[in-house]
Amino acid sequence: MKAIVGALTAWLVAAPALAQDADDWDYAEDSARQLSIAAVTFDSFGVAARCMDGHFSLILSGLPEGSGERTLWVRLRDRPELEEPWVSEEGSGTLFSVWPRSSAAALSRGGPLSIRVPDGDQWRRYVVDLPRSEASVARVLAACGTGIADLPVIEVVPEDIETQGLAWLRRPDVSFPGGTPAFGLAAIRCEADAGGRLINCTAESEFPVGSGFGRSAVLAAQRTGRVRAADGATPDIAGRTLNFVVRYKVN
């Protein structure tokens, strides 16, 4: 098992080289390292769902190199092509989804997958028949405390915008965690209470993983974030949700 985990972990930072089970994505885990991975590979690129130290990530490997926030155009099955936010380290062809849970739930259903990505001043397109994952992706999500049945497969990936008729009264006053990289981000999902405070906030992702950006953004959102009804005519906002991205950068 450790050999399999080592190969899958290496795959995340190198060219994919594993064969997949036709009935599901490959799965491996290492409880000592708090690591669980479901992966599927093709000739040109690979996809992996990973839970590591309680952080869930959806990862693409083998794409054109780039840095920071990046946009992919993704079409799955008969859905329209969607513009999705991803992020990578400097000069890397390994990309991390900004909203990984909803995207992983969609990909786990399998089907024709098309990914269009900028490559310099041109475009590169990847087209594959993605196998369905009956168990592997769900196991990885469960390892990070999420039931796949609880995740809606949404048609539009959340962006850095107000949702459910909410607008900002005060954006969260975030602080930069000490000892962290000069660039990073955290995708946050919160609920509003009746007074416009943000409650039940969770970090959907953070980059780099383990940087502390997610925890910092959650604390700031619940401490200082305030929202209101966007149209001003519907004061009952309790229970509405807000998705947003907090960006960290040292100038």
Side-chain angles (χ1 to χ4, degrees), residues 86-99:
W86 293 68
V87 62
S88 67
E89 295 179 352
E90 183 175 359
S92 175
T94 300
L95 282 72
F96 293 76
S97 173
V98 174
W99 299 99

Side-chain angles (χ1 to χ4, degrees), residues 139-161:
R139 290 178 70 182
V140 177
L141 282 163
C144 270
T146 302
I148 196 168
D150 301 327
L151 292 173
V153 179
I154 58 179
E155 294 300 321
V156 179
V157 174
E159 300 177 2
D160 186 17
I161 59 174

